[in-house]
Amino acid sequence: MIIVNTENVAGSEVKEALGVVKGNTVRAKHLGKDIAGSLRGLIGGKMKEYEEMFLEAREYAEKEMIEEAIKLGADAVVSVRYSSSSIMNGTSEVMVYGTAVTLKK
């Protein structure tokens, strides 16, 4: 599956737009990593516990979006965008969405 944040896939022409596809997840780290991340926030430095959480959330949301696009018979997802928000302390919601398309062959 081709995933791009542009309106077109370079070197290809869109044949048909199949609709918006999305993936979404809400993630939290377990208490131990949340405490470690909070302490690191006090003393400064790279907050790898939260970076891991965001990476896992993005990957899961992307997988959901791709599965939705496959069900529609898409060759690609264009105009992909990400959105994230905090639901409560130590949690993160990540949403990814784009337009599923077929490409002229």
Side-chain angles (χ1 to χ4, degrees):
M1 181 68 56
I2 300 168
I3 308 294
V4 296
N5 66 350
T6 56
E7 291 181 18
N8 297 297
V9 176
S12 297
E13 190 176 336
V14 172
K15 178 180 176 183
E16 181 182 10
L18 303 172
V20 174
V21 289
K22 62 196 167 311
N24 165 284
T25 188
V26 176
R27 296 289 172 124
K29 281 293 180 192
H30 66 74
L31 184 59
K33 288 201 174 194
D34 198 31
I35 291 170
S38 296
L39 290 174
R40 196 176 318 274
L42 291 173
I43 60 173
K46 187 174 181 178
M47 298 180 76
K48 64 182 179 182
E49 296 82 10
Y50 293 111
E51 286 181 359
E52 289 171 3
M53 180 178 67
F54 274 107
L55 180 60
E56 291 167 4
R58 281 192 304 265
E59 288 174 352
Y60 184 85
E62 282 176 6
K63 183 179 175 218
E64 276 193 349
M65 180 188 69
I66 291 168
E67 287 172 0
E68 208 175 304
I70 289 170
K71 287 179 187 174
L72 293 175
D75 299 315
V77 181
V78 299
S79 299
V80 172
R81 301 292 183 262
Y82 292 85
S83 172
S84 66
S85 62
S86 178
I87 305 294
M88 56 189 257
N89 193 23
T91 64
S92 172
E93 176 193 28
V94 173
M95 176 186 275
V96 60
Y97 57 94
T99 303
V101 298
T102 56
L103 301 173
K104 289 185 179 177
K105 309 244 173 172

